[in-house]
Amino acid sequence: MIHITRANKRKLVLYGIILLIAYAIFSSGYSSHRSETTIANAKPEDVWEFVADFSKMKLLNPTILDFYITSDTGNADHWKYSVAYKEKLAYWPHWQNHGEAQISVKKLPQSKGGHLSVDSTHRTCFLYGLYCLRAEGSFSFSPNPTGGTHVVETVHFQCPPFLGRFCRAEVQFQRNAIMNNLSYQFNRHLL
């Protein structure tokens, strides 16, 4: 028969608590966010080209600090590129993270619907790369029936359960900023 001492019981309880805390910190579920806008007086292809160019993302997303393109392949109808970027958090601006993204920019021929999209997968790392989260994003651009361009963005993002509210606020801030700044870029000549 195995005899467990009081000291060993305390250690087992302590190890159990540490494992539960580690699980809560490092287990991450996925959430989704969808945003959309209509940009008057803009052609879908013009808006698509603007969003597809990551250098414009610094104008759209105020949290992006710096970036560089790490690879680039394809043609005008379907190109792919990878980018590494540094960004700050909107609600905790002194905390910076590093991200890597693979971007896929597609333009289907008119015979196949003429769909315009910018899809991306992101890996965002904190604590000098020790803790990373994933996200997938998709922009689509289509003619609006009353004129202009209808833009829809869907984001699926990973977040630790105890930070769910913070993650949602961060994603909502960035996505709203992108849509508002995109509208501003195309409508500023009307002001």
Side-chain angles (χ1 to χ4, degrees):
M1 184 166 168
I2 299 175
H3 180 65
I4 300 176
T5 66
R6 189 175 287 235
N8 285 340
K9 284 182 185 177
R10 286 184 190 150
K11 283 183 184 178
L12 285 173
V13 169
L14 179 63
Y15 291 146
I17 291 171
I18 290 171
L19 284 173
L20 284 173
I21 291 171
Y23 176 77
I25 291 172
F26 294 108
S27 69
S28 300
Y30 281 87
S31 295
S32 295
H33 179 77
R34 178 184 161 104
S35 54
E36 56 187 289
T37 192
T38 298
I39 301 174
N41 305 313
K43 296 179 193 171
E45 192 162 329
D46 294 340
V47 180
W48 169 71
E49 286 177 355
F50 191 89
V51 171
D53 181 355
F54 202 85
S55 68
K56 302 291 195 285
M57 196 52 68
K58 285 182 75 171
L59 296 171
L60 301 177
N61 186 344
T63 65
I64 301 239
L65 301 171
D66 201 9
F67 76 95
Y68 60 95
I69 304 297
T70 58
S71 69
D72 186 10
T73 62
N75 58 43
D77 293 333
H78 185 197
W79 79 88
K80 297 179 183 181
Y81 63 91
S82 297
V83 62
Y85 58 91
K86 182 170 63 170
E87 68 180 341
K88 63 183 178 180
L89 297 176
Y91 293 106
W92 205 358
H94 299 295
W95 190 278
Q96 294 182 4
N97 60 68
H98 296 276
E100 297 172 353
Q102 284 69 49
I103 315 287
S104 176
V105 181
K106 291 182 187 174
K107 176 183 178 183
L108 291 179
Q110 285 302 109
S111 61
K112 294 185 178 181
H115 182 73
L116 302 169
S117 66
V118 177
D119 299 319
S120 59
T121 58
H122 298 259
R123 183 173 175 259
T124 304
C125 296
F126 301 87
L127 303 171
Y128 302 101
L130 295 174
Y131 185 62
C132 299
L133 299 169
R134 299 192 178 278
E136 296 176 359
S138 179
F139 274 100
S140 66
F141 310 86
S142 58
N144 191 48
T146 60
T149 300
H150 187 69
V151 181
V152 177
E153 182 190 27
T154 305
V155 179
H156 301 287
F157 59 96
Q158 196 176 22
C159 182
F162 69 95
L163 289 176
R165 188 182 215 178
F166 176 77
C167 291
R168 278 189 296 281
E170 189 71 28
V171 168
Q172 287 175 343
F173 172 84
Q174 287 186 22
R175 287 15 270 170
N176 290 341
I178 288 170
M179 289 299 189
N180 290 337
N181 289 333
L182 186 59
S183 292
Y184 172 76
Q185 290 298 319
F186 280 91
N187 292 322
R188 64 184 172 178
H189 67 282
L190 300 175
L191 300 175

